[in-house]
Amino acid sequence: MANLGYPFTLGVASGEPAPDSVIIWTRLAPDPFGLDPARPGGMSERPVPVRWQVAEDQRFTRIAASGTAQAQHAWAHSVHVKVDGLRPAADYYYRFTVSAPFKNNEMSAVGRTRTAPARESRDPVRFAVASCQRYEHGHFTALRHIAEAGPDVVLHLGDYIYEGGKPAVPQPGRYVRPLEPPERSCRSLHDYRNRYARYRTDPDLRAAHAAAPWLPVWDDHEVRENYAGGLPGDGTDPGAFLRRRAAAYKAYYEHFPLRVRPVGNGLRMYRWRPYGAIADFLLLDGRQHREPGDMLGRAQEEWLTGRLRDSSARWKVLVQPLFFGRRMFPDGSLSDDAWDAFPAQRARILDTGGGGLVVLGGDVHNHWACDLGDDSARPVGVEFVTSSVSSAPPGTDNAAILAANAHIRFHDGHRGHLEGKAGPEGFEVAYRTVEFVDRPGAPMGTAAVFGVEGDRLKRLDI
Ligand SMILES: [Fe+2]
């Protein structure tokens, strides 16, 4: 046991910023793809003390907080520390150190985080939006650009991992780099843990986590494609699926700096994160609580409509995984897995929006922008849909979709992400693009910039 290698192979992360606190995270994994389920990350059953420091400067001369946390085997030796007593809208730097049972005294990379602004603040908020990063489909170059921009916060809309394995039939150009051995579909807790390890060994993903705090929501591929609530979506045994879902949720928690832990079979992901008087980020869970005819479940919908009604923020920002607005395909059909399958619940949400409503969406692997609501004479808000970081785009006829949906104002077919700025006067989103993901290093381009005027999209000069 005395010769374990470098333990911080999965990097560091921070998240869930409040004006006075943030969560910092790491996980000890000297052997990130270890095949023994009893030794996740190559670690034995023994708990390991992990020291942490938070400083006001990158050289750690002005320490703001420090302490020791126990990395436990039951949680794959992940560490979640809630750091209190911080100043609002301030940058901080953090790092972790361990000694025994490791060969050397080991130190993690340094992460940069930032607290949320104070409640009354009217300073602008700078954010990035990303979704759909299928590891085997390509490089996470968009995340590298997010890391270089160093926004106040990163909003991730889900499909953070994909549960599938190496395709049985080769798909040319779609298996650009290998999954962890044995390259199979995730079923067990150990499978999901090693899949997260595969993703976090990517240098661009590690950089994006180390550069800014994250507010993530999940979609389906963190568990299984097209699952709904407690049902797997393919008619197989719900009991077995619920155990698989619980394993996937546990592995999710073990790899994110969340404020809550899994309870029973569930993990509460819907939540409110205020950014001063400027933005209320309302983070939604479109999967866990799904019922027939109802995407969010009753409790989450009541929570959301209550929050929308009570919000006094300039912008109410729904952070959620799917295409929210209506999107009719050229043959007149609608998606049966996204909001178009739940029009009554969508209409109730739009009815309570009450001005300043902005929806962020993903899932469809292309950039889109649309005005929301059925009545073009009565604008109710706008939606910005981010493309995928790396996941291959669908074969949809996007020109025909634009032609069939007058309220959809923009499409771009590149991989990429969004960069946004919310302020007292305006809400602006830039559609960032990369030309290729089959190799690293694509430069960043900008396909369009949109603002919001009178709860409608307004195209701006790049
Ligand atoms: Fe996706």
Side-chain angles (χ1 to χ4, degrees):
M1 278 312 301
N3 269 320
L4 292 175
Y6 182 69
F8 298 108
T9 55
L10 309 183
V12 299
S14 73
E16 308 302 314
D20 62 347
S21 69
V22 70
I23 312 294
I24 59 173
W25 172 96
T26 193
R27 184 189 152 202
L28 308 179
D31 182 9
F33 315 130
L35 292 173
D36 181 355
R39 296 173 60 87
M43 297 290 292
S44 77
E45 286 198 356
R46 212 169 311 163
V48 177
V50 179
R51 294 179 298 283
W52 56 270
Q53 287 180 307
V54 176
E56 294 176 6
D57 63 311
Q58 285 185 69
R59 294 166 58 208
F60 288 81
T61 55
R62 297 193 306 279
I63 302 291
S66 64
T68 301
Q70 295 293 326
Q72 305 278 358
H73 180 262
W75 300 100
H77 292 88
S78 60
V79 172
H80 300 70
V81 179
K82 178 169 177 263
V83 184
D84 289 304
L86 303 177
R87 291 178 293 113
D91 283 351
Y92 289 95
Y93 300 86
Y94 61 96
R95 66 187 178 190
F96 302 89
T97 53
V98 287
S99 43
F102 296 93
K103 199 160 41 188
N104 307 306
N105 288 332
E106 303 280 12
M107 185 177 287
S108 73
V110 172
R112 171 256 181 189
T113 192
R114 187 173 176 81
T115 49
R119 242 0 233 132
E120 63 279 6
S121 168
R122 297 182 62 76
D123 291 339
V125 181
R126 289 167 199 280
F127 57 91
V129 187
S131 83
C132 294
Q133 48 194 39
R134 191 160 185 150
Y135 183 90
E136 63 271 32
H137 280 189
H139 291 269
F140 298 161
T141 311
L143 300 177
R144 169 65 56 180
H145 292 300
I146 289 174
E148 284 166 5
D152 296 341
V153 62
V154 176
L155 308 169
H156 198 286
L157 307 185
D159 286 358
Y160 181 95
I161 61 162
Y162 282 70
E163 83 288 6
K166 184 177 185 176
V169 180
Q171 300 174 356
R174 288 202 172 197
Y175 204 74
V176 168
R177 48 185 187 159
L179 294 168
E180 76 289 349
E183 301 179 87
R184 68 170 177 227
S185 175
C186 296
R187 300 265 161 181
S188 69
L189 175 60
H190 188 67
D191 295 337
Y192 285 106
R193 283 169 166 168
N194 281 11
R195 182 59 49 87
Y196 280 101
R198 168 79 285 176
Y199 277 62
R200 286 287 174 83
T201 53
D202 179 277
D204 297 336
L205 181 54
R206 275 207 315 277
H209 278 289
W214 282 42
L215 287 172
V217 295
W218 58 31
D219 194 21
D220 53 342
H221 285 288
E222 284 84 353
V223 180
R224 186 200 183 283
E225 183 170 32
N226 288 357
Y227 84 94
L231 298 174
D234 63 354
T236 55
D237 174 33
F241 174 70
L242 213 53
R243 287 190 294 278
R244 177 180 176 182
R245 196 188 83 168
Y249 285 3
K250 184 169 193 290
Y252 186 94
Y253 166 78
E254 289 170 350
H255 293 85
F256 279 94
L258 300 180
R259 284 180 185 261
V260 293
R261 276 190 179 189
V263 176
N265 284 323
L267 175 57
R268 175 156 166 167
M269 286 293 286
Y270 66 84
R271 59 210 194 274
W272 169 54
R273 297 283 173 238
Y275 265 67
I278 298 301
D280 272 347
F281 292 116
L282 297 157
L283 296 111
L284 305 187
D285 182 341
R287 291 287 165 186
Q288 184 175 192
H289 311 291
R290 248 189 224 203
E291 290 164 14
D294 180 336
M295 166 95 78
L296 301 179
R298 223 184 84 196
Q300 182 175 194
E301 183 186 334
E302 277 174 15
W303 165 85
L304 173 62
T305 49
R307 275 278 162 228
L308 286 171
R309 241 181 259 117
D310 294 348
S311 174
S312 56
R314 174 67 186 84
W315 306 101
K316 297 160 223 172
V317 185
L318 302 195
V319 182
Q320 58 86 45
L322 301 163
F323 200 108
F324 189 82
R326 184 177 164 84
R327 192 172 65 127
M328 196 172 73
F329 295 110
D331 66 357
S333 69
L334 298 166
S335 169
D336 57 9
D337 186 58
W339 281 97
D340 274 331
F342 308 97
Q345 189 170 50
R346 176 172 61 192
R348 290 196 295 274
I349 294 167
L350 290 174
D351 276 347
T352 36
L357 181 71
V358 174
V359 180
L360 303 176
D363 177 52
V364 290
H365 304 184
N366 276 313
H367 281 320
W368 297 92
C370 62
D371 290 317
L372 293 173
D374 292 333
D375 180 359
S376 61
R378 192 178 63 93
V380 291
V382 301
E383 178 175 16
F384 302 101
V385 176
T386 187
S387 189
S388 56
V389 168
S390 64
S391 309
T396 45
D397 182 346
N398 299 310
I401 292 175
L402 273 177
N405 296 271
H407 61 284
I408 301 184
R409 305 269 306 275
F410 170 72
H411 163 264
D412 181 87
H414 290 87
R415 313 281 67 70
H417 66 284
L418 307 181
E419 274 180 19
K421 184 177 139 185
E425 313 298 338
F427 196 107
E428 281 179 31
V429 168
Y431 285 84
R432 306 297 193 198
T433 56
V434 290
E435 288 291 336
F436 53 85
V437 293
D438 60 344
R439 56 198 192 281
M444 188 177 79
T446 303
V449 181
F450 280 89
V452 182
E453 197 172 83
D455 288 318
R456 281 196 182 92
L457 291 170
K458 184 183 183 197
R459 192 152 183 161
L460 306 174
D461 294 335
I462 292 175

